[in-house]
Amino acid sequence: MSQGSNFVDYVRICCRSGAGGAGSAHLHRDKKTAKGGPDGGDGGRGGHVIVKGNSQLWTLLHLKYRKHVIAENGESGGSALKTGAQGKDEILEVPLGTVIKDAETDEVLLEITQDGETKIITPGGRGGQGNWHFKSPTNQTPRFAQSGEVGKEEWKVLELKLLADVGLVGFPNAGKSTLLSVVSAAKPEIADYPFTTMVPNLGVVAYRGNRSFVMADIPGIIEGAAEGKGLGIRFLRHIERNSVLLFMVPADSKDIKKEYEILLNEIKQFNPELLDKPRVLAITKADMLDEELIAEMEKELPKGIPHQFISSVAQKGIVELKDLLWKAIND
């Protein structure tokens, strides 16, 4: 199975929580008591459907074929005020950056960003109250109790948005995968044709002083990605969780500034709030350029964005680029 088929960032699941157990309508009876009062216990709560963050997971693959998740029902109450057992919860472990939506309305309900964080997505039904709750001066021996609350059946969408400090943004063949392979231990597939990256790749980039940051190589944007062309919005959404956007344009591009503006416009079309994120520009494949040519090209670069000429293959400008990114992450 290739890495592409292993990367699943969207699943739709039917979640059914457990029904609450019925309360008991028992009346106390023993050898010494012929007509005791009510002592029926409460029913147990039905099981919840819960999501839990797991930093060891990076895909929703393990949930891809799990279309129905059913939590246990609560047990009925018993005599002598015994409460019924709670239904067993169903816990779905998910990668950090998972967003849970209502499948009908597409409304975002919650997101998981911390390891070990748990949130209920479909609550179990409450247990019914036993008859002792209903005792009153006018009704000393109530012979009724509450039935438990029914469980809920809801369709949920789980959508993964990668959590990374730096998201690489560029057209296909801008050198994103090559940069990631050079600065981290990630081993993305690299070839000399567009759309090599069919899935996002994550790499941890070592920085000075034993510090590090996470970089995500996201599949190349083409004009019209916001309308779903090419690999489209499915991968643009991963950029939403990045702290800094690293725009990458090759040095042999006909017009670096124009290419940068097209990339910027695609992101703006998708989600204008992304323009608030810090941006850094890397001009890639710059190993053939001399200082004079770089000085000339710099005059044509977009204003107001820190830039660095780099060559991943020749390891040129990589340290300086890391410095720029670290500063942008921590500003």
Side-chain angles (χ1 to χ4, degrees), residues 207-272:
Y207 189 60
R208 40 183 119 212
N210 287 329
R211 292 171 296 186
S212 63
F213 56 89
V214 178
M215 185 179 275
D217 168 24
I218 292 143
I221 292 177
I222 61 167
E223 268 189 279
E227 281 91 57
K229 290 183 188 167
L231 293 176
I233 283 192
R234 185 175 158 213
F235 293 114
L236 265 178
R237 70 165 172 253
H238 289 295
I239 300 172
E240 290 184 311
R241 287 291 175 277
N242 301 140
S243 307
V244 175
L245 301 181
L246 175 58
F247 287 78
M248 299 182 67
V249 181
D252 57 5
S253 166
K254 290 191 179 109
D255 188 335
I256 291 173
K257 186 177 179 184
K258 186 181 177 197
E259 200 161 304
Y260 166 72
E261 283 168 355
I262 291 168
L263 292 168
L264 203 58
N265 189 52
E266 281 304 318
I267 284 171
K268 181 183 175 184
Q269 297 293 324
F270 173 64
N271 181 351

Side-chain angles (χ1 to χ4, degrees), residues 17-21 44-48 74 123-127 148-152:
S17 61
R45 160 181 77 66
H48 301 314
R126 282 178 308 187
E149 197 176 49
V150 296
K152 295 180 177 175

Side-chain angles (χ1 to χ4, degrees), residues 24-233:
S24 167
H26 189 268
L27 298 171
H28 178 58
R29 300 284 185 268
D30 63 20
K31 289 177 187 174
K32 297 176 184 173
T33 315
K35 290 188 175 181
D39 70 345
D42 300 343
R45 160 181 77 66
H48 301 314
V49 179
I50 293 171
V51 284
K52 181 179 182 182
N54 182 339
S55 59
Q56 301 301 309
L57 295 173
W58 65 283
T59 167
L60 296 169
L61 177 70
H62 60 297
L63 300 176
K64 184 177 179 182
Y65 301 107
R66 199 167 171 196
K67 288 298 172 206
H68 295 271
V69 176
I70 301 169
E72 272 186 4
N73 293 332
E75 292 186 8
S76 299
S79 59
L81 302 180
K82 283 183 190 146
T83 302
Q86 290 186 355
K88 187 182 170 203
D89 298 330
E90 277 294 321
I91 298 174
L92 304 175
E93 297 211 334
V94 295
L96 308 188
T98 300
V99 174
I100 290 84
K101 296 180 175 178
D102 183 298
E104 306 297 320
T105 63
D106 213 34
E107 178 196 357
V108 174
L109 304 173
L110 54 95
E111 61 183 294
I112 297 290
T113 55
Q114 306 286 326
D115 187 43
E117 178 183 10
T118 58
K119 290 188 177 170
I120 296 167
I121 56 171
T122 308
R126 282 178 308 187
Q129 292 184 325
N131 62 348
W132 70 276
H133 286 279
F134 305 106
K135 183 178 176 182
S136 70
T138 55
N139 186 357
Q140 298 283 324
T141 53
R143 286 176 162 77
F144 58 86
Q146 272 183 337
S147 52
E149 197 176 49
V150 296
K152 295 180 177 175
E153 183 170 298
E154 301 170 333
W155 281 90
K156 306 287 185 188
V157 165
L158 278 61
E159 190 175 291
L160 173 60
K161 296 184 179 184
L162 291 176
L163 292 163
D165 299 304
V166 178
L168 306 184
V169 181
F171 284 107
N173 256 6
K176 300 187 299 300
S177 299
T178 309
L179 174 66
L180 189 68
S181 70
V182 166
V183 297
S184 78
K187 294 287 176 275
E189 185 182 335
I190 299 167
D192 59 355
Y193 54 87
F195 295 121
T196 315
T197 306
M198 301 303 287
V199 303
N201 290 299
L202 282 180
V204 177
V205 179
Y207 189 60
R208 40 183 119 212
N210 287 329
R211 292 171 296 186
S212 63
F213 56 89
V214 178
M215 185 179 275
D217 168 24
I218 292 143
I221 292 177
I222 61 167
E223 268 189 279
E227 281 91 57
K229 290 183 188 167
L231 293 176
I233 283 192

Side-chain angles (χ1 to χ4, degrees), residues 297-313:
M297 290 173 74
E298 281 184 324
K299 295 175 187 172
E300 304 298 320
L301 292 180
K303 301 288 184 281
I305 174 172
H307 69 271
Q308 179 64 44
F309 285 81
I310 67 165
S311 166
S312 300
V313 176

